[in-house]
Amino acid sequence: LMLRLVCCASFISFVMETSVDIHHKDRKHIFFVEWRVTCPLFIQEMEILQQELLKVEPQLQVLQSCASNNIHVSMNELTLHTEEQVQKALEVIDEFEKTDFPSLASGVTMKLGGFGHFNKKVLYVKVVGEGSIHNDPLSEMFNALQKRFSEANLTPPNAKQRAFQAHITVCKAPPVKGKAKSVIPKAVFDKVKEVQAQCKGEQYLTELVFCVKRLRDEDTPPVVRTIVLR
């Protein structure tokens, strides 16, 4: 199932698309870019998978950050304390949308399927782009944005940067007390092997969103700016 996204974005540069208080103290000044999954089939299968895995291990962490109504790939993260910094970030994103995004996103289909894990602590679905000269279009976008943010002095020079790997989180290891090592139980991985053919989908890569950290009563992070393939 392929789903082409059709969204409207503001034609006025640097006007925010949300009316929420983006500087609420509980948002901790955290902003980020993400690619959102809207393929109905994949969303349905993800919800079923998470329910099945919780039957195997009820203590697995299936948080709102990876809930079926909030499926996404997290990308660049920024800490923006002032309105001036937010406007500068929006200016960077506007230039990225005009200059970089068309060549990186045009004709790209994102394939969702197959499982991986990070040190048995995080189980995820793999994300791969097809139809582009770039082997990993989301990584190319991440790097292009990171370079632009850095040049605009929006990324602290001493910030610890993690290597970007596009993925969709399914669940995290159960919480533990003390110094015990928290890992996803073998029984969960055994169950995953049984359902390898499930939780697949594909979606055109036509937009990214620039968001602010969500509050507890929000299902998804409020969108400040939508980056659209025109």
Side-chain angles (χ1 to χ4, degrees):
L1 175 66
M2 289 191 290
L3 182 67
R4 182 177 293 278
L5 306 179
V6 179
C7 293
C8 294
S10 172
F11 289 97
I12 304 175
S13 296
F14 321 140
V15 173
M16 290 178 284
E17 299 175 12
T18 181
S19 60
V20 304
D21 179 6
I22 64 172
H23 296 294
H24 190 287
K25 63 181 180 62
D26 291 340
R27 299 192 192 279
K28 300 180 180 179
H29 308 289
I30 297 175
F31 295 76
F32 47 89
V33 177
E34 67 179 32
W35 176 67
R36 293 186 171 178
V37 176
T38 57
C39 173
L41 178 61
F42 182 83
I43 292 171
Q44 180 182 21
E45 290 180 344
M46 173 69 94
E47 184 175 11
I48 293 171
L49 172 65
Q50 290 173 332
Q51 292 172 351
E52 289 298 313
L53 295 183
L54 284 171
K55 291 178 183 177
V56 176
E57 175 48 76
Q59 297 303 312
L60 283 176
Q61 297 187 76
V62 179
L63 309 175
Q64 182 57 33
S65 59
C66 57
S68 59
N69 65 347
N70 187 27
I71 301 175
H72 64 278
V73 174
S74 298
M75 298 173 64
N76 312 74
E77 182 176 317
L78 297 172
T79 301
L80 306 174
H81 292 276
T82 68
E83 186 62 28
E84 182 182 1
Q85 289 179 321
V86 172
Q87 287 297 315
K88 185 179 288 188
L90 290 171
E91 182 178 352
V92 168
I93 286 169
D94 187 70
E95 284 301 313
F96 168 82
E97 181 185 52
K98 294 175 181 176
T99 307
D100 303 323
F101 193 59
S103 62
L104 293 172
S106 183
V108 175
T109 299
M110 300 307 296
K111 302 279 188 175
L112 317 173
F115 296 94
H117 64 86
F118 297 124
N119 299 319
K120 297 185 179 180
K121 294 182 178 182
V122 177
L123 176 67
Y124 64 83
V125 175
K126 298 176 181 179
V127 180
V128 178
E130 293 187 359
S132 168
I133 60 173
H134 306 283
N135 293 330
D136 188 351
L138 289 183
S139 288
E140 294 287 341
M141 292 176 189
F142 172 88
N143 291 332
L145 278 166
Q146 200 74 346
K147 183 174 184 292
R148 287 183 177 274
F149 286 137
S150 296
E151 290 173 347
N153 295 318
L154 293 175
T155 301
N158 60 346
K160 182 179 179 181
Q161 300 294 336
R162 295 179 299 172
F164 174 74
Q165 181 178 338
H167 67 280
I168 295 170
T169 301
V170 177
C171 63
K172 297 181 179 180
V176 296
K177 295 182 179 179
K179 296 182 179 180
K181 186 178 180 181
S182 176
V183 296
I184 297 173
K186 180 179 180 299
V188 172
F189 288 109
D190 290 341
K191 184 64 176 180
V192 167
K193 290 179 182 178
E194 295 178 13
V195 297
Q196 282 285 356
Q198 298 177 22
C199 221
K200 291 186 177 182
E202 55 185 61
Q203 178 178 315
Y204 289 128
L205 177 52
T206 58
E207 69 177 34
L208 301 175
V209 289
F210 179 57
C211 313
V212 64
K213 178 181 172 66
R214 70 178 183 84
L215 301 180
R216 288 183 178 273
D217 62 346
E218 296 170 336
D219 288 337
T220 59
V223 174
V224 178
R225 173 77 155 78
T226 305
I227 302 168
V228 181
L229 180 63
R230 303 183 188 283

mmCIF file of all heavy atoms in Angstrom, residues 113-155:
data_model
loop_
_atom_site.group_PDB
_atom_site.id
_atom_site.type_symbol
_atom_site.label_atom_id
_atom_site.label_comp_id
_atom_site.label_asym_id
_atom_site.label_seq_id
_atom_site.Cartn_x
_atom_site.Cartn_y
_atom_site.Cartn_z
ATOM 1 N N GLY A 113 10.059 -2.276 6.947
ATOM 2 C CA GLY A 113 9.968 -3.725 7.156
ATOM 3 C C GLY A 113 11.282 -4.327 7.599
ATOM 4 O O GLY A 113 12.360 -3.789 7.338
ATOM 5 N N GLY A 114 11.183 -5.471 8.297
ATOM 6 C CA GLY A 114 12.364 -6.101 8.860
ATOM 7 C C GLY A 114 12.655 -5.494 10.219
ATOM 8 O O GLY A 114 12.304 -4.344 10.487
ATOM 9 N N PHE A 115 13.280 -6.275 11.085
ATOM 10 C CA PHE A 115 13.512 -5.808 12.449
ATOM 11 C C PHE A 115 14.997 -5.739 12.786
ATOM 12 O O PHE A 115 15.812 -6.450 12.206
ATOM 13 C CB PHE A 115 12.816 -6.733 13.451
ATOM 14 C CG PHE A 115 11.320 -6.749 13.328
ATOM 15 C CD1 PHE A 115 10.683 -7.707 12.556
ATOM 16 C CD2 PHE A 115 10.554 -5.796 13.962
ATOM 17 C CE1 PHE A 115 9.299 -7.725 12.423
ATOM 18 C CE2 PHE A 115 9.173 -5.800 13.844
ATOM 19 C CZ PHE A 115 8.544 -6.760 13.080
ATOM 20 N N GLY A 116 15.314 -4.876 13.715
ATOM 21 C CA GLY A 116 16.664 -4.761 14.254
ATOM 22 C C GLY A 116 16.562 -4.341 15.703
ATOM 23 O O GLY A 116 15.470 -4.120 16.238
ATOM 24 N N HIS A 117 17.713 -4.229 16.371
ATOM 25 C CA HIS A 117 17.699 -3.789 17.760
ATOM 26 C C HIS A 117 18.997 -3.067 18.092
ATOM 27 O O HIS A 117 20.018 -3.243 17.430
ATOM 28 C CB HIS A 117 17.503 -4.980 18.707
ATOM 29 C CG HIS A 117 18.628 -5.981 18.671
ATOM 30 N ND1 HIS A 117 19.772 -5.865 19.439
ATOM 31 C CD2 HIS A 117 18.793 -7.112 17.942
ATOM 32 C CE1 HIS A 117 20.580 -6.881 19.192
ATOM 33 N NE2 HIS A 117 20.021 -7.655 18.280
ATOM 34 N N PHE A 118 18.942 -2.221 19.109
ATOM 35 C CA PHE A 118 20.116 -1.541 19.632
ATOM 36 C C PHE A 118 20.497 -2.195 20.956
ATOM 37 O O PHE A 118 19.841 -1.973 21.986
ATOM 38 C CB PHE A 118 19.839 -0.043 19.839
ATOM 39 C CG PHE A 118 19.519 0.712 18.575
ATOM 40 C CD1 PHE A 118 18.348 1.437 18.458
ATOM 41 C CD2 PHE A 118 20.399 0.699 17.498
ATOM 42 C CE1 PHE A 118 18.056 2.139 17.299
ATOM 43 C CE2 PHE A 118 20.119 1.390 16.332
ATOM 44 C CZ PHE A 118 18.946 2.108 16.226
ATOM 45 N N ASN A 119 21.515 -3.034 20.916
ATOM 46 C CA ASN A 119 22.024 -3.699 22.125
ATOM 47 C C ASN A 119 20.936 -4.409 22.932
ATOM 48 O O ASN A 119 20.983 -4.456 24.155
ATOM 49 C CB ASN A 119 22.748 -2.694 23.024
ATOM 50 C CG ASN A 119 23.942 -2.081 22.338
ATOM 51 O OD1 ASN A 119 24.689 -2.764 21.640
ATOM 52 N ND2 ASN A 119 24.126 -0.778 22.519
ATOM 53 N N LYS A 120 19.924 -4.923 22.233
ATOM 54 C CA LYS A 120 18.804 -5.634 22.861
ATOM 55 C C LYS A 120 18.009 -4.750 23.821
ATOM 56 O O LYS A 120 17.215 -5.250 24.615
ATOM 57 C CB LYS A 120 19.295 -6.891 23.589
ATOM 58 C CG LYS A 120 19.930 -7.930 22.672
ATOM 59 C CD LYS A 120 20.290 -9.199 23.415
ATOM 60 C CE LYS A 120 20.887 -10.219 22.459
ATOM 61 N NZ LYS A 120 21.257 -11.477 23.144
ATOM 62 N N LYS A 121 18.176 -3.445 23.692
ATOM 63 C CA LYS A 121 17.451 -2.509 24.549
ATOM 64 C C LYS A 121 16.286 -1.846 23.828
ATOM 65 O O LYS A 121 15.299 -1.456 24.451
ATOM 66 C CB LYS A 121 18.404 -1.439 25.083
ATOM 67 C CG LYS A 121 19.465 -1.972 26.033
ATOM 68 C CD LYS A 121 20.345 -0.852 26.559
ATOM 69 C CE LYS A 121 21.375 -1.383 27.540
ATOM 70 N NZ LYS A 121 22.225 -0.290 28.101
ATOM 71 N N VAL A 122 16.439 -1.702 22.513
ATOM 72 C CA VAL A 122 15.397 -1.071 21.697
ATOM 73 C C VAL A 122 15.145 -1.948 20.474
ATOM 74 O O VAL A 122 16.078 -2.271 19.734
ATOM 75 C CB VAL A 122 15.815 0.342 21.241
ATOM 76 C CG1 VAL A 122 14.748 0.943 20.324
ATOM 77 C CG2 VAL A 122 16.062 1.238 22.441
ATOM 78 N N LEU A 123 13.896 -2.337 20.277
ATOM 79 C CA LEU A 123 13.497 -3.100 19.089
ATOM 80 C C LEU A 123 12.916 -2.115 18.079
ATOM 81 O O LEU A 123 12.105 -1.256 18.436
ATOM 82 C CB LEU A 123 12.443 -4.145 19.465
ATOM 83 C CG LEU A 123 11.845 -4.967 18.310
ATOM 84 C CD1 LEU A 123 12.887 -5.882 17.691
ATOM 85 C CD2 LEU A 123 10.642 -5.764 18.802
ATOM 86 N N TYR A 124 13.339 -2.240 16.821
ATOM 87 C CA TYR A 124 12.852 -1.287 15.827
ATOM 88 C C TYR A 124 12.574 -1.944 14.482
ATOM 89 O O TYR A 124 13.040 -3.054 14.195
ATOM 90 C CB TYR A 124 13.854 -0.139 15.647
ATOM 91 C CG TYR A 124 15.210 -0.545 15.096
ATOM 92 C CD1 TYR A 124 15.428 -0.700 13.725
ATOM 93 C CD2 TYR A 124 16.288 -0.759 15.950
ATOM 94 C CE1 TYR A 124 16.664 -1.060 13.219
ATOM 95 C CE2 TYR A 124 17.533 -1.115 15.457
ATOM 96 C CZ TYR A 124 17.712 -1.266 14.095
ATOM 97 O OH TYR A 124 18.950 -1.640 13.609
ATOM 98 N N VAL A 125 11.805 -1.234 13.669
ATOM 99 C CA VAL A 125 11.537 -1.626 12.280
ATOM 100 C C VAL A 125 12.495 -0.839 11.396
ATOM 101 O O VAL A 125 12.702 0.367 11.594
ATOM 102 C CB VAL A 125 10.082 -1.320 11.883
ATOM 103 C CG1 VAL A 125 9.850 -1.613 10.395
ATOM 104 C CG2 VAL A 125 9.117 -2.148 12.724
ATOM 105 N N LYS A 126 13.071 -1.516 10.413
ATOM 106 C CA LYS A 126 14.025 -0.871 9.517
ATOM 107 C C LYS A 126 13.305 0.027 8.499
ATOM 108 O O LYS A 126 12.171 -0.241 8.099
ATOM 109 C CB LYS A 126 14.849 -1.929 8.786
ATOM 110 C CG LYS A 126 15.696 -2.798 9.725
ATOM 111 C CD LYS A 126 16.425 -3.893 8.968
ATOM 112 C CE LYS A 126 17.239 -4.772 9.916
ATOM 113 N NZ LYS A 126 17.934 -5.871 9.203
ATOM 114 N N VAL A 127 14.006 1.086 8.101
ATOM 115 C CA VAL A 127 13.466 2.058 7.146
ATOM 116 C C VAL A 127 14.488 2.250 6.029
ATOM 117 O O VAL A 127 15.637 2.601 6.284
ATOM 118 C CB VAL A 127 13.197 3.412 7.837
ATOM 119 C CG1 VAL A 127 12.624 4.410 6.835
ATOM 120 C CG2 VAL A 127 12.251 3.243 9.015
ATOM 121 N N VAL A 128 14.067 2.021 4.785
ATOM 122 C CA VAL A 128 14.979 2.109 3.645
ATOM 123 C C VAL A 128 14.312 2.910 2.526
ATOM 124 O O VAL A 128 13.130 2.722 2.235
ATOM 125 C CB VAL A 128 15.354 0.706 3.108
ATOM 126 C CG1 VAL A 128 16.275 0.825 1.898
ATOM 127 C CG2 VAL A 128 16.011 -0.124 4.199
ATOM 128 N N GLY A 129 15.063 3.810 1.905
ATOM 129 C CA GLY A 129 14.537 4.592 0.796
ATOM 130 C C GLY A 129 14.863 3.964 -0.544
ATOM 131 O O GLY A 129 15.953 3.424 -0.737
ATOM 132 N N GLU A 130 13.930 4.016 -1.478
ATOM 133 C CA GLU A 130 14.138 3.496 -2.837
ATOM 134 C C GLU A 130 13.697 4.540 -3.851
ATOM 135 O O GLU A 130 12.829 5.353 -3.581
ATOM 136 C CB GLU A 130 13.353 2.195 -3.054
ATOM 137 C CG GLU A 130 13.854 1.021 -2.218
ATOM 138 C CD GLU A 130 13.163 -0.284 -2.582
ATOM 139 O OE1 GLU A 130 12.280 -0.267 -3.463
ATOM 140 O OE2 GLU A 130 13.507 -1.315 -1.977
ATOM 141 N N GLY A 131 14.317 4.498 -5.027
ATOM 142 C CA GLY A 131 13.949 5.407 -6.102
ATOM 143 C C GLY A 131 14.768 6.675 -6.141
ATOM 144 O O GLY A 131 14.406 7.641 -6.801
ATOM 145 N N SER A 132 15.897 6.677 -5.415
ATOM 146 C CA SER A 132 16.742 7.865 -5.361
ATOM 147 C C SER A 132 18.174 7.482 -5.680
ATOM 148 O O SER A 132 18.582 6.333 -5.525
ATOM 149 C CB SER A 132 16.675 8.487 -3.961
ATOM 150 O OG SER A 132 17.671 9.468 -3.787
ATOM 151 N N ILE A 133 18.957 8.459 -6.118
ATOM 152 C CA ILE A 133 20.386 8.203 -6.345
ATOM 153 C C ILE A 133 21.111 8.081 -5.009
ATOM 154 O O ILE A 133 22.248 7.625 -4.954
ATOM 155 C CB ILE A 133 21.035 9.330 -7.184
ATOM 156 C CG1 ILE A 133 20.899 10.682 -6.466
ATOM 157 C CG2 ILE A 133 20.415 9.391 -8.569
ATOM 158 C CD1 ILE A 133 21.659 11.806 -7.151
ATOM 159 N N HIS A 134 20.432 8.484 -3.946
ATOM 160 C CA HIS A 134 21.015 8.412 -2.612
ATOM 161 C C HIS A 134 20.592 7.105 -1.941
ATOM 162 O O HIS A 134 19.413 6.754 -1.935
ATOM 163 C CB HIS A 134 20.574 9.601 -1.759
ATOM 164 C CG HIS A 134 20.841 10.927 -2.404
ATOM 165 N ND1 HIS A 134 22.103 11.489 -2.435
ATOM 166 C CD2 HIS A 134 20.018 11.777 -3.061
ATOM 167 C CE1 HIS A 134 22.038 12.651 -3.079
ATOM 168 N NE2 HIS A 134 20.800 12.846 -3.459
ATOM 169 N N ASN A 135 21.540 6.373 -1.393
ATOM 170 C CA ASN A 135 21.238 5.092 -0.763
ATOM 171 C C ASN A 135 20.361 5.243 0.473
ATOM 172 O O ASN A 135 19.569 4.368 0.790
ATOM 173 C CB ASN A 135 22.540 4.374 -0.383
ATOM 174 C CG ASN A 135 23.345 3.957 -1.589
ATOM 175 O OD1 ASN A 135 22.790 3.675 -2.642
ATOM 176 N ND2 ASN A 135 24.663 3.950 -1.443
ATOM 177 N N ASP A 136 20.511 6.346 1.171
ATOM 178 C CA ASP A 136 19.799 6.556 2.424
ATOM 179 C C ASP A 136 19.323 8.006 2.466
ATOM 180 O O ASP A 136 19.966 8.863 3.069
ATOM 181 C CB ASP A 136 20.732 6.245 3.606
ATOM 182 C CG ASP A 136 20.022 6.261 4.939
ATOM 183 O OD1 ASP A 136 18.844 6.672 4.974
ATOM 184 O OD2 ASP A 136 20.638 5.866 5.938
ATOM 185 N N PRO A 137 18.180 8.315 1.841
ATOM 186 C CA PRO A 137 17.750 9.711 1.721
ATOM 187 C C PRO A 137 17.515 10.407 3.053
ATOM 188 O O PRO A 137 17.797 11.597 3.185
ATOM 189 C CB PRO A 137 16.452 9.618 0.907
ATOM 190 C CG PRO A 137 16.020 8.193 1.007
ATOM 191 C CD PRO A 137 17.265 7.397 1.133
ATOM 192 N N LEU A 138 16.999 9.703 4.068
ATOM 193 C CA LEU A 138 16.782 10.358 5.360
ATOM 194 C C LEU A 138 18.104 10.753 6.006
ATOM 195 O O LEU A 138 18.206 11.802 6.643
ATOM 196 C CB LEU A 138 15.969 9.456 6.291
ATOM 197 C CG LEU A 138 14.486 9.279 5.939
ATOM 198 C CD1 LEU A 138 13.781 8.414 6.979
ATOM 199 C CD2 LEU A 138 13.769 10.631 5.818
ATOM 200 N N SER A 139 19.123 9.921 5.846
ATOM 201 C CA SER A 139 20.446 10.269 6.370
ATOM 202 C C SER A 139 21.020 11.471 5.621
ATOM 203 O O SER A 139 21.655 12.353 6.224
ATOM 204 C CB SER A 139 21.413 9.080 6.268
ATOM 205 O OG SER A 139 21.078 8.087 7.204
ATOM 206 N N GLU A 140 20.808 11.500 4.301
ATOM 207 C CA GLU A 140 21.273 12.642 3.517
ATOM 208 C C GLU A 140 20.588 13.927 3.984
ATOM 209 O O GLU A 140 21.219 14.986 4.092
ATOM 210 C CB GLU A 140 20.985 12.404 2.029
ATOM 211 C CG GLU A 140 21.766 11.256 1.402
ATOM 212 C CD GLU A 140 23.229 11.593 1.192
ATOM 213 O OE1 GLU A 140 23.575 12.790 1.193
ATOM 214 O OE2 GLU A 140 24.027 10.661 1.031
ATOM 215 N N MET A 141 19.290 13.826 4.267
ATOM 216 C CA MET A 141 18.546 14.995 4.752
ATOM 217 C C MET A 141 19.038 15.409 6.134
ATOM 218 O O MET A 141 19.205 16.594 6.422
ATOM 219 C CB MET A 141 17.047 14.680 4.782
ATOM 220 C CG MET A 141 16.444 14.502 3.412
ATOM 221 S SD MET A 141 14.708 14.020 3.494
ATOM 222 C CE MET A 141 14.411 13.631 1.757
ATOM 223 N N PHE A 142 19.243 14.418 6.991
ATOM 224 C CA PHE A 142 19.746 14.696 8.335
ATOM 225 C C PHE A 142 21.078 15.447 8.252
ATOM 226 O O PHE A 142 21.277 16.466 8.926
ATOM 227 C CB PHE A 142 19.929 13.394 9.106
ATOM 228 C CG PHE A 142 20.611 13.552 10.439
ATOM 229 C CD1 PHE A 142 19.876 13.829 11.583
ATOM 230 C CD2 PHE A 142 21.988 13.431 10.553
ATOM 231 C CE1 PHE A 142 20.504 13.998 12.809
ATOM 232 C CE2 PHE A 142 22.626 13.589 11.773
ATOM 233 C CZ PHE A 142 21.871 13.881 12.905
ATOM 234 N N ASN A 143 21.980 14.958 7.421
ATOM 235 C CA ASN A 143 23.307 15.571 7.310
ATOM 236 C C ASN A 143 23.227 16.982 6.719
ATOM 237 O O ASN A 143 23.937 17.894 7.160
ATOM 238 C CB ASN A 143 24.213 14.693 6.453
ATOM 239 C CG ASN A 143 24.564 13.385 7.133
ATOM 240 O OD1 ASN A 143 24.597 13.307 8.364
ATOM 241 N ND2 ASN A 143 24.819 12.346 6.346
ATOM 242 N N ALA A 144 22.364 17.152 5.719
ATOM 243 C CA ALA A 144 22.214 18.472 5.098
ATOM 244 C C ALA A 144 21.668 19.486 6.102
ATOM 245 O O ALA A 144 22.146 20.623 6.198
ATOM 246 C CB ALA A 144 21.305 18.379 3.878
ATOM 247 N N LEU A 145 20.664 19.066 6.869
ATOM 248 C CA LEU A 145 20.092 19.947 7.878
ATOM 249 C C LEU A 145 21.088 20.225 8.997
ATOM 250 O O LEU A 145 21.219 21.355 9.466
ATOM 251 C CB LEU A 145 18.825 19.318 8.461
ATOM 252 C CG LEU A 145 17.540 19.507 7.649
ATOM 253 C CD1 LEU A 145 16.452 18.567 8.140
ATOM 254 C CD2 LEU A 145 17.057 20.948 7.729
ATOM 255 N N GLN A 146 21.797 19.173 9.411
ATOM 256 C CA GLN A 146 22.766 19.347 10.497
ATOM 257 C C GLN A 146 23.834 20.371 10.108
ATOM 258 O O GLN A 146 24.236 21.206 10.919
ATOM 259 C CB GLN A 146 23.408 17.996 10.834
ATOM 260 C CG GLN A 146 24.049 17.921 12.198
ATOM 261 C CD GLN A 146 23.022 17.824 13.314
ATOM 262 O OE1 GLN A 146 21.840 18.070 13.119
ATOM 263 N NE2 GLN A 146 23.477 17.463 14.494
ATOM 264 N N LYS A 147 24.281 20.298 8.868
ATOM 265 C CA LYS A 147 25.291 21.244 8.375
ATOM 266 C C LYS A 147 24.733 22.672 8.383
ATOM 267 O O LYS A 147 25.399 23.610 8.825
ATOM 268 C CB LYS A 147 25.721 20.857 6.966
ATOM 269 C CG LYS A 147 26.832 21.723 6.373
ATOM 270 C CD LYS A 147 27.266 21.155 5.030
ATOM 271 C CE LYS A 147 28.446 21.942 4.456
ATOM 272 N NZ LYS A 147 28.072 23.307 4.063
ATOM 273 N N ARG A 148 23.505 22.817 7.922
ATOM 274 C CA ARG A 148 22.891 24.149 7.881
ATOM 275 C C ARG A 148 22.661 24.698 9.294
ATOM 276 O O ARG A 148 22.891 25.880 9.559
ATOM 277 C CB ARG A 148 21.571 24.099 7.113
ATOM 278 C CG ARG A 148 21.742 23.955 5.600
ATOM 279 C CD ARG A 148 20.409 23.991 4.891
ATOM 280 N NE ARG A 148 20.551 23.928 3.451
ATOM 281 C CZ ARG A 148 20.756 24.979 2.673
ATOM 282 N NH1 ARG A 148 20.855 26.187 3.209
ATOM 283 N NH2 ARG A 148 20.870 24.832 1.372
ATOM 284 N N PHE A 149 22.191 23.849 10.208
ATOM 285 C CA PHE A 149 21.975 24.294 11.583
ATOM 286 C C PHE A 149 23.297 24.704 12.236
ATOM 287 O O PHE A 149 23.366 25.703 12.954
ATOM 288 C CB PHE A 149 21.311 23.189 12.408
ATOM 289 C CG PHE A 149 19.846 22.980 12.114
ATOM 290 C CD1 PHE A 149 19.319 21.700 12.007
ATOM 291 C CD2 PHE A 149 18.991 24.058 11.967
ATOM 292 C CE1 PHE A 149 17.974 21.503 11.741
ATOM 293 C CE2 PHE A 149 17.638 23.877 11.695
ATOM 294 C CZ PHE A 149 17.127 22.596 11.583
ATOM 295 N N SER A 150 24.334 23.925 11.976
ATOM 296 C CA SER A 150 25.650 24.233 12.550
ATOM 297 C C SER A 150 26.173 25.568 12.029
ATOM 298 O O SER A 150 26.714 26.376 12.787
ATOM 299 C CB SER A 150 26.646 23.121 12.240
ATOM 300 O OG SER A 150 26.264 21.908 12.848
ATOM 301 N N GLU A 151 26.022 25.789 10.728
ATOM 302 C CA GLU A 151 26.486 27.040 10.132
ATOM 303 C C GLU A 151 25.711 28.239 10.664
ATOM 304 O O GLU A 151 26.215 29.364 10.670
ATOM 305 C CB GLU A 151 26.364 26.960 8.611
ATOM 306 C CG GLU A 151 27.360 25.987 7.980
ATOM 307 C CD GLU A 151 27.125 25.775 6.500
ATOM 308 O OE1 GLU A 151 26.044 26.193 6.005
ATOM 309 O OE2 GLU A 151 27.998 25.195 5.828
ATOM 310 N N ALA A 152 24.483 27.994 11.127
ATOM 311 C CA ALA A 152 23.668 29.068 11.702
ATOM 312 C C ALA A 152 23.866 29.188 13.210
ATOM 313 O O ALA A 152 23.136 29.920 13.883
ATOM 314 C CB ALA A 152 22.193 28.822 11.392
ATOM 315 N N ASN A 153 24.865 28.434 13.728
ATOM 316 C CA ASN A 153 25.179 28.451 15.168
ATOM 317 C C ASN A 153 24.008 27.998 16.021
ATOM 318 O O ASN A 153 23.802 28.484 17.145
ATOM 319 C CB ASN A 153 25.631 29.848 15.610
ATOM 320 C CG ASN A 153 26.936 30.262 14.961
ATOM 321 O OD1 ASN A 153 27.864 29.479 14.851
ATOM 322 N ND2 ASN A 153 26.990 31.511 14.510
ATOM 323 N N LEU A 154 23.227 27.051 15.508
ATOM 324 C CA LEU A 154 22.098 26.510 16.251
ATOM 325 C C LEU A 154 22.418 25.159 16.873
ATOM 326 O O LEU A 154 21.613 24.614 17.615
ATOM 327 C CB LEU A 154 20.870 26.386 15.340
ATOM 328 C CG LEU A 154 20.284 27.712 14.871
ATOM 329 C CD1 LEU A 154 19.156 27.480 13.878
ATOM 330 C CD2 LEU A 154 19.768 28.521 16.056
ATOM 331 N N THR A 155 23.579 24.616 16.573
ATOM 332 C CA THR A 155 24.022 23.381 17.194
ATOM 333 C C THR A 155 25.279 23.673 17.989
ATOM 334 O O THR A 155 26.283 24.089 17.415
ATOM 335 C CB THR A 155 24.336 22.298 16.138
ATOM 336 O OG1 THR A 155 23.159 22.057 15.365
ATOM 337 C CG2 THR A 155 24.763 20.999 16.808
#
